[in-house]
Structure formats: structure tokens, C-alpha cells
Amino acid sequence: MTEEKGTRVERAPEEEDVSRRPRPQGADVLKQFGDRVIIQFNNQTIVESNDAPRMHRGARNVYYEDLSGGRIREIVERDNGVQIVTIRNRYGDVIQRSRITPDGREYVLSYVDERYYRDVDDWRDPGDDLPPMRLTISRRDYILDSEDVEDPDEYYTFLEQPPVERVQRLYSVDEVKRSARVRDIARRIDLDTLNFEFGSATISDTEVQKLEGVATAMEKLLKKNPAETFLIEGHTDAVGTPEANLALSDRRAEAVAEALTNAFGIPPENLTTQGYGEEYLKVDTQGPNRENRRVAIRRITSLVAPVASAN
């Protein structure tokens, strides 16, 4: 991750401001809600946000380097000597991320072949290359509802299981976030015991404690493999505009990621977040519904990390 020579950039690149990122062909900015930007491309509407505040918190130094092909390398140095190195393409998508320890050991959290992205000028759903999904396991083995969990160890037992089908190739983190078909390869925990007030992304201290079981499971998995990556998905009910709900759901996902890091010590680089608004309602209703105001977690390591994918 650090071998390629780069040119030091003295200020944060424009890509840090998601509203100013260059866009692939056919991508249009629909609206901006604070630091959230709503993008439409290929008949898909998504929300983009900036994970830099989470990644940089507590860092003693952050710097950037220009690489060939419009790529940017970000190096976050922590007080304990650990470096988090991220390479983004010219559109700001994460194509590589590693944690490098003071002894020089590198843990590859996510990786895709840069050559694949070098000439890509539009976004395409990689799930289009996959056949329809056919589950051969029960719903309980595929989606774990927190309200059904009696023993906190169930979270670990569930998360350590492999994907439900063979992973065909490595995907970028952003490909996983944008493709429902690819995401569905990974099992899902629905944190339906976590309550969000209507229109709010705030988590009270009482609600944070409900994350302890899943946080403990993450911690155990990270002890075995420090390169695990977990996707935190935010969702809303169908009240309000779709664009506003995308932004709200993204803030909910970020709030859970912040809580997992601040309250339980899960490293921010092992967490990635994405909001999906009202697109995937758990209860099919257009009215206010607590079950639809939820967050879900998937372990996506096998989709984005080369060692896990090979195994």
C-alpha cells in the first residue's frame, strides 16, 4: 500500500467534500442534506457521505498523496504507531485499505485490482453478472433478528458463518454498498431492538447498551482476523421524501458505527456505513413504523478482502 511513490498534498483533496467529487458519466447530484449528497445514476438513487471524521478522530497525523490515474492515498497515523492507509480512485471510491502496525505487518481490509477501475467511466451493478439467488437455508440462518436472540453468544455464532454462496470475485466496498444482489451474499443481523425516534438518528445511552452483544462478537472476530470488515446499513420507514430518508438512514448507520467505536472500541476502519432510506421496508406500510426504523449489520470480509475471499 505504501510502496508506490506519491506526491505529497499539503491540504485535504477536494474528494473529501463529497459534493465536489468528480462523477462518472450519467451520475447526477439531486440534492444535498448537510454533508450528505443524493446521487442518481443508472435508475438508482444513493446517498454519499464522508467517513473521514470517523477515521481521523484521535489521529496524531493525517496526510495525502497523489498517485497516478487520479488516485489519492490517505495515511492516518494513530498515537499507537498504527497507520490506516486508504487508496481511492478519482471518484472517491475506496479501492484499497490496509492497517499497518508499527512492526511493519500489513492487514489488508479491502482490495480490488486497480486496473479494473482505471478506465471505468460509469457505474454498473456487479450483481447483474450473478444468477438469481437461491437460498438453501432457513430464514433464521440467513437473517438474525435481535429480538429473537436469547444468548449474546448467538451473535458470534451467526457472524462467523461463511457467505451463503460462493464469492465469484473481489468487490470494492462501494460496489458492495451499491449492489443489493452482492450484499445479499452475506448474512444479515437486524438490530430490531434498537429504537430510533421518528425522524431522528440519535442513540441514547440506554440504546447503546443494546449493541453490547454484537460488539462483543465483532471483537472476538477481530482477535482472530484484524482485517474483518462489517457493513452497517441504515433504514427508515416510508414517511417523508425518499431523498430525505436516504440522508436520515445514512446518519443512523453512522451513529451506530460511532457507538461501536466510542463505547466498545471497535476500530473505525473495520466499519463501513451506508443508508438505504425506505427502499427495503421490513414491514410493508407507508405509515410510521418502528420496525422499519432500523439498522442492520453484515460481515462482508469475504466480499472485499483477498485472504478471506480465497478461503
Side-chain angles (χ1 to χ4, degrees), residues 219-231:
E219 186 178 19
K220 288 176 66 175
L221 286 164
L222 287 167
K223 285 182 178 178
K224 292 173 59 177
N225 174 23
E228 297 283 359
T229 295
F230 302 94
L231 171 62

Side-chain angles (χ1 to χ4, degrees), residues 232-301:
I232 302 176
E233 308 174 0
H235 300 272
T236 68
D237 56 28
V239 179
T241 67
E243 293 84 3
N245 283 337
L246 275 171
L248 174 60
S249 65
D250 203 55
R251 291 197 298 272
R252 285 176 175 165
E254 183 182 56
V256 170
E258 292 273 15
L260 287 169
T261 297
N262 297 337
F264 303 104
I266 305 301
E269 62 269 20
N270 294 102
L271 306 172
T272 188
T273 63
Q274 183 65 40
Y276 296 100
E278 61 189 67
E279 186 173 0
Y280 305 102
L281 297 175
K282 193 166 187 178
V283 178
D284 188 12
T285 175
Q286 296 301 300
N289 185 275
R290 186 193 64 80
E291 290 185 64
N292 286 329
R293 301 193 293 268
R294 71 193 192 281
V295 166
I297 295 177
R298 301 180 197 257
R299 177 183 169 220
I300 62 169
T301 314

Side-chain angles (χ1 to χ4, degrees), residues 197-210:
E197 295 298 325
F198 178 76
S200 172
T202 302
I203 307 176
S204 67
D205 291 342
T206 301
E207 297 299 307
V208 167
Q209 293 311 308
K210 295 178 181 178

